[in-house]
Amino acid sequence: MKQAKNIWLSVLGFALIAAGIYLIRTVPDPQGILRALPFLLVGFGCGIFGHGLGELLAKKAAESDPETARRMEIDQTDERNVMIGNMAKAKGYDMMTYVFGALMVSFAVMGASWTVIIPMVIGYLFVHGYAIYFRVKFDKEM
């Protein structure tokens, strides 16, 4: 069942890539949503195709060498590796805070359109609100 899902994901991704390339090649002067749609199709198609094919190849590799599959499972669930991954995410989040803050200020100073700045501010505040929510939740639990 899982393998069939990955095959369908790969086929869907390939179809999205093909549809995007077809639209890029055939629509002479795109207007409105057709200006971005082909590139979105190619982007999402590449992501979906890569995910499906990667899962298929990983499953084939695990079937061919069970010892390596067991070691990979242990590596993925090992507490030390999970802690290292969480610490790396935390450092990335800290860096994102300063980088996006500087980007918003620089766009505002350059006089960029409000339609560019406001979504960035909303996204920035959403991420920080999400972090605060989980910080409070985890403080209550622990």
Side-chain angles (χ1 to χ4, degrees), residues 57-142:
L57 293 176
K59 190 161 186 85
K60 290 287 185 193
E63 289 173 358
S64 67
D65 190 5
E67 178 61 29
T68 303
R70 187 182 69 79
R71 260 188 280 135
M72 287 175 56
E73 179 70 25
I74 290 171
D75 286 344
Q76 289 174 351
T77 58
D78 181 41
E79 288 180 20
R80 180 177 177 271
N81 290 337
V82 171
M83 184 183 70
I84 290 170
N86 288 339
M87 288 175 63
K89 287 178 194 176
K91 290 292 185 184
Y93 171 79
D94 290 343
M95 178 60 72
M96 181 209 65
T97 297
Y98 297 116
V99 169
F100 280 140
L103 276 173
M104 287 185 292
V105 169
S106 65
F107 276 132
V109 169
M110 288 188 300
S113 170
W114 286 106
T115 59
V116 173
I117 296 171
I118 295 299
M120 287 177 66
V121 170
I122 290 170
Y124 182 82
L125 292 176
F126 175 77
V127 168
H128 283 280
Y130 190 78
I132 291 169
Y133 169 78
F134 277 101
R135 174 65 188 239
V136 170
K137 180 181 175 184
F138 291 150
D139 279 344
K140 287 180 182 176
E141 288 177 4
M142 296 178 181

Side-chain angles (χ1 to χ4, degrees), residues 30-53:
Q31 298 294 320
I33 192 153
L34 281 179
R35 295 181 83 178
L37 181 66
F39 301 103
L40 287 172
L41 289 175
V42 170
F44 281 117
C46 286
I48 292 170
F49 177 75
H51 175 73
L53 191 61

